[in-house]
Amino acid sequence: MYQVVPGGAGGTITDGVSVKKMNKDSRPLVGAGVIGVVLVIAAVTAWCYYIASLRKADLLKTELLDLNKDGFLIRNQAGGIVLKMGFRSGTLDLDSCSKEDVILRCSRSFAGKVNFFIMTVKPKETVVCYRVRWEELESDRPVEHAMSYNESYWYGGAETAVQHWPIAISGQQAPKPFVTSDVYSNRNDFGGILERYWLSSNATAIKINDSVPFHLGWNDTEKTMYFQARYQDSPYKPAPGRPPYAELSYRVCVGPDVTSIHKVMVRRYFPKPNKVPAKEMFRHPIWSTWALHKTNITQEKFLTYAENIRKYGFNCSHLELDDRYSSQYGEFEFDTHKFPNASAMFQKLKADGILVSLWTHPFVNYDSANFGPCVQKGLFVMEPTGQLPALVKWWNGIGGILDFTNPEARNWFTSQLRFLRHKYAISSFKLDAGETNYLPWQFRTRAHLPDPSTFTRRYTEMAIPFNERAELRSGYGSQNISCFFRLIDRDSVWGYELGLKSLIPTVLTISILGYQFILPDMIGGNAYPNRTDGNGKLPDRELYIRWLELSAFMPSMQFSIPPWEYDDEVVAIAQRFTELHETLVAPRVIELAGEVLDTGDPIIRPLWWIATSDETAYRVDSQFLIGDDLMVAPVLEPGKQERDIYLPAGRWKSYKGERYDNKEPIHLTDYPVDLDEIAYFEWVQ
């Protein structure tokens, strides 16, 4: 049968074609065909999307780093995740991302335009680094990234009042300015020695760039640290003429182990000292008048103190004449009532072979004779208009603070110190304070300070002409100032809050931050009446002895409360440990100090330095190494004459002559340590 089918526009009839009429049995076959076509199209579409997703995934991957819209993660060579970073202030629009060679860029977040990039750098075969930058392109919009630390131990950051090793974060803290502060005046602030650097047991290190208006926060519940950049409600100020666009930029490096990656970071990003301080500071104790006499020091007391050092048979690197020898703060001459004949005093001390160092500070009080001339010369930090000096309150009164960004102020201050050195043959100076919390919230300096901690750096430079024996207590980017850095004042207590237990964690922390010439403050603490375990005048006797033993294994020792204030037994213990410091510790430390100039490696090292794969070594906070071959384990608990000791794998010889040849780390439980002993172990070749 033939069917007539309509043709084209003219309705012509086509050639005869045999067409069978579709029956009911053939309809399922047609439906199946249609479905098949649809499935093929879907499969092709899915394949295209899959290929596109692979390309996008490849685009968002650079070496060991994977980027997504909410953050990024980094893996080690074995594939394990070593760092997770979340974007808290914005989410990336991944469609705006592109990749060219080693740089991955994105130009938009879902909040607006941004300048975001990750650049990959491989400084060594076994190390991969990433330069990360997120810059907002609208004013007053902060940038915040959140780093998870729940599966690793972290070290570094800052000196703090309560110091733990590794870092022990508690509670919640909204991001606050990461600037130098005096933790003795505010125990919740960051300390006077501070760097934007953290190191992880996962062999990961982070260094925040100097250009960032950096704020740090944390959340103990979420096991997270918050890295934030902002200008609003902040002491950071953008450069003149530049909009306040917040920029969070940092470097993340991943290596084979924690020690190796730290060495890479120190060599690439930390300045190094260019000389070693006077070797006598390593060999012989420094003596200070502060803890014993406070501000009541006089010429008679000073000479008696010096005489007793010799009388009891002690050596002396130098003797510090501390606060207060002048009549007013900000003057550079001796108070004639307290020091009626300063010239004769110094002549006698010189004849006795005792060098003297003087305490000084950056303040000129309003009642000082130097206040008016400094105002007229414009030597002070000013209030924001630049018309008047900004008065500041510090622990000894109210006055102006010298502007060390001003060359005239720097020259004036240096000239005063040189005058004292020339007139009285002063050996050096103890430069106190320097932290940014003594600056007013709003201020103006001669040179613009985008980061207020740069003021600390400018102040530490004042020690350079005197660095053979100079002493500083604050530092920021100051590792190349070749002098001793002192821990902030310690209370005469046992615990982790500015007490004996805080010494090792604090020394290890600032060592990791690049400060190797360390003065661990005064033996026994400062003996402040309400912050002393003891009779109110002297630190507890047992505490003093344990503090003395620990200090003997530090780069330098410092006495203020003298051992003869106790009894003959304490004097004998002090004599024995100062001799041990001179004969056993100082030669090692001096050799390591010379290596610091080239490597920046710590003199005082954590146990994981030689045990990088040992989980226990990451947590030990009451033992330390001097170099790689002397391990020290002091007693830090009251009433104890034993302690548990973790001994890394190796061949060791104890101070008692015991030998240990252990292929694996071992624990020595209840190891006996008498009151007049400290446990230490030497590596046996």
Side-chain angles (χ1 to χ4, degrees):
M1 181 176 185
Y2 294 89
Q3 180 179 2
V4 178
V5 180
T12 58
I13 298 174
T14 63
D15 294 337
V17 179
S18 177
V19 179
K20 291 185 179 181
K21 190 173 183 179
M22 184 180 297
N23 57 38
K24 293 181 180 180
D25 294 335
S26 64
R27 289 174 184 172
L29 296 175
V30 173
V34 172
I35 293 172
V37 171
V38 171
L39 290 175
V40 169
I41 293 172
V44 171
T45 303
W47 177 257
C48 292
Y49 275 112
Y50 175 67
I51 295 298
S53 65
L54 286 179
R55 289 174 177 170
K56 177 62 74 174
D58 184 63
L59 168 69
L60 300 178
K61 181 177 177 62
T62 173
E63 289 287 340
L64 305 173
L65 183 147
D66 293 334
L67 176 69
N68 59 64
K69 64 183 179 63
D70 298 312
F72 62 84
L73 59 85
I74 299 176
R75 304 177 187 273
N76 58 22
Q77 296 289 350
I81 296 174
V82 295
L83 184 133
K84 294 180 181 179
M85 190 73 78
F87 302 148
R88 282 175 56 89
S89 56
T91 301
L92 282 178
D93 179 356
L94 298 182
D95 290 333
S96 72
C97 299
S98 62
K99 188 176 181 182
E100 182 178 351
D101 196 18
V102 296
I103 300 179
L104 171 59
R105 297 183 183 276
C106 304
S107 59
R108 292 194 308 273
S109 74
F110 287 103
K113 292 183 178 181
V114 299
N115 175 15
F116 175 85
F117 74 79
I118 297 176
M119 179 178 178
T120 305
V121 181
K122 299 190 72 172
K124 291 184 66 177
E125 183 68 26
T126 57
V127 175
V128 181
C129 294
Y130 305 95
R131 292 179 55 200
V132 181
R133 176 173 176 173
W134 182 309
E135 181 186 14
E136 287 288 344
L137 299 180
E138 291 186 17
S139 298
D140 297 331
R141 177 176 289 167
V143 184
E144 186 173 317
H145 293 179
M147 183 190 73
S148 173
Y149 63 87
N150 57 335
E151 295 180 357
S152 57
Y153 303 102
W154 286 85
Y155 315 92
E159 182 183 21
T160 53
V162 180
Q163 198 93 48
H164 292 283
W165 178 272
I167 295 170
I169 292 174
S170 61
Q172 300 181 20
Q173 172 63 57
K176 61 180 181 179
F178 192 68
V179 295
T180 60
S181 298
D182 177 1
V183 295
Y184 214 85
S185 64
N186 187 341
R187 301 203 174 195
N188 294 319
D189 281 349
F190 303 113
I193 298 177
L194 167 151
E195 298 293 334
R196 303 168 167 199
Y197 173 70
W198 288 268
L199 178 70
S200 162
S201 59
N202 278 342
T204 306
I206 295 180
K207 179 74 167 62
I208 309 294
N209 287 359
D210 294 341
S211 58
V212 175
F214 182 55
H215 298 67
L216 179 68
W218 55 84
N219 187 314
D220 180 33
T221 304
E222 298 177 358
K223 304 298 182 186
T224 301
M225 292 174 66
Y226 303 137
F227 298 154
Q228 187 189 78
R230 76 169 191 262
Y231 285 112
Q232 67 271 35
D233 189 29
S234 169
Y236 296 97
K237 306 300 176 189
R242 296 193 62 182
Y245 293 164
E247 167 214 330
L248 180 59
S249 56
Y250 49 92
R251 291 166 171 80
V252 183
C253 293
V254 181
D257 60 74
V258 61
T259 301
S260 298
I261 195 62
H262 178 67
K263 288 184 176 183
V264 170
M265 299 299 286
V266 168
R267 284 155 177 74
R268 286 178 65 85
Y269 301 124
F270 286 12
K272 314 290 187 303
N274 54 27
K275 62 184 295 187
V276 176
K279 292 181 179 179
E280 287 76 17
M281 288 189 70
F282 296 98
R283 294 192 182 108
H284 301 148
I286 298 163
W287 299 78
S288 170
T289 62
W290 173 249
L292 183 64
H293 294 298
K294 303 297 190 295
T295 59
N296 296 320
I297 188 65
T298 64
Q299 181 170 327
E300 181 181 2
K301 291 177 180 178
F302 192 55
L303 288 172
T304 300
Y305 193 89
E307 289 168 3
N308 282 333
I309 294 172
R310 296 302 191 211
K311 174 183 175 182
Y312 288 96
F314 290 97
N315 288 321
C316 176
S317 166
H318 60 262
L319 175 57
E320 287 181 351
L321 177 52
D322 214 298
D323 182 8
R324 135 182 192 184
Y325 54 86
S326 60
S327 58
Q328 301 294 339
Y329 293 105
E331 296 178 3
F332 296 84
E333 189 49 276
F334 284 85
D335 182 343
T336 55
H337 295 288
K338 299 175 74 175
F339 295 86
N341 195 339
S343 295
M345 179 183 74
F346 282 107
Q347 289 172 4
K348 183 179 189 316
L349 292 169
K350 182 178 180 181
D352 292 339
I354 293 182
L355 301 177
V356 177
S357 177
L358 287 183
W359 175 79
T360 189
H361 53 83
F363 308 102
V364 179
N365 279 9
Y366 70 90
D367 54 359
S368 164
N370 284 326
F371 185 80
C374 287
V375 171
Q376 294 175 352
K377 295 175 182 177
L379 304 185
F380 290 136
V381 172
M382 307 296 282
E383 48 82 40
T385 67
Q387 300 299 310
L388 294 171
L391 292 180
V392 298
K393 184 177 181 180
W394 62 297
W395 67 90
N396 276 330
I398 297 174
I401 183 168
L402 292 167
D403 178 4
F404 293 104
T405 74
N406 180 351
E408 294 178 14
R410 294 163 69 90
N411 291 338
W412 182 84
F413 184 72
T414 303
S415 69
Q416 304 302 315
L417 301 187
R418 283 180 171 155
F419 161 77
L420 286 169
R421 185 170 66 173
H422 176 75
K423 183 174 181 179
Y424 299 109
I426 300 299
S427 65
S428 193
F429 297 91
K430 171 184 176 179
L431 285 81
D432 216 348
E435 300 90 350
T436 64
N437 65 296
Y438 292 111
L439 293 168
W441 182 254
Q442 297 291 331
F443 64 90
R444 176 181 291 188
T445 51
R446 177 68 62 88
H448 178 70
L449 287 181
D451 178 356
S453 290
T454 306
F455 182 86
T456 298
R457 162 70 197 188
R458 298 284 86 83
Y459 179 58
T460 60
E461 292 169 351
M462 295 295 95
I464 291 176
F466 316 101
N467 59 12
E468 279 284 314
R469 297 173 182 272
E471 175 187 325
L472 290 160
R473 81 170 197 193
S474 58
Y476 175 71
S478 307
Q479 295 93 336
N480 64 330
I481 309 298
S482 303
C483 68
F484 272 81
F485 286 82
R486 175 178 63 88
L487 307 191
I488 192 64
D489 299 32
R490 303 284 120 172
D491 291 336
S492 300
V493 297
W494 289 91
Y496 284 103
E497 183 175 348
L498 296 177
L500 178 60
K501 284 186 180 179
S502 72
L503 278 184
I504 295 173
T506 307
V507 169
L508 290 175
T509 296
I510 66 175
S511 293
I512 288 297
L513 299 179
Y515 297 87
Q516 311 308 343
F517 308 141
I518 299 170
L519 190 59
D521 201 42
M522 302 165 189
I523 292 169
N526 284 271
Y528 295 125
N530 298 323
R531 296 171 178 172
T532 299
D533 289 341
N535 60 17
K537 177 183 178 183
L538 295 176
D540 175 73
R541 182 179 185 273
E542 181 187 5
L543 172 67
Y544 183 87
I545 292 171
R546 292 304 191 190
W547 206 305
L548 162 65
E549 294 163 354
L550 172 54
S551 292
F553 286 83
M554 289 292 164
S556 188
M557 301 179 70
Q558 186 176 41
F559 285 100
S560 188
I561 300 289
W564 55 83
E565 289 289 312
Y566 291 92
D567 51 53
D568 291 343
E569 183 184 9
V570 175
V571 171
I573 294 172
Q575 290 169 338
R576 182 155 57 85
F577 274 93
T578 54
E579 181 181 357
L580 184 66
H581 175 84
E582 182 177 354
T583 57
L584 175 68
V585 178
R588 278 179 166 84
V589 170
I590 291 171
E591 180 181 357
L592 292 165
E595 296 174 6
V596 167
L597 309 186
D598 297 321
T599 67
D601 289 347
I603 293 173
I604 304 298
R605 300 173 181 176
L607 263 58
W608 52 249
W609 193 266
I610 61 170
T612 57
S613 60
D614 190 343
E615 176 83 6
T616 302
Y618 297 138
R619 303 193 304 269
V620 174
D621 70 345
S622 63
Q623 299 174 222
F624 60 93
L625 296 163
I626 302 175
D628 289 344
D629 59 0
L630 181 59
M631 194 273 290
V632 187
V635 173
L636 305 174
E637 298 278 353
K640 297 288 186 180
Q641 296 199 27
E642 69 282 325
R643 64 156 293 165
D644 295 343
I645 295 175
Y646 167 84
L647 200 61
R651 302 177 65 189
W652 299 93
K653 179 182 176 182
S654 80
Y655 69 107
K656 299 177 181 180
E658 305 149 325
R659 291 182 177 268
Y660 301 88
D661 189 358
N662 46 305
K663 293 183 172 58
E664 298 291 334
I666 61 174
H667 285 86
L668 306 178
T669 305
D670 292 332
Y671 187 85
V673 187
D674 291 341
L675 180 60
D676 62 347
E677 295 179 326
I678 185 171
Y680 63 91
F681 300 76
E682 296 182 81
W683 181 272
V684 180
Q685 297 296 333

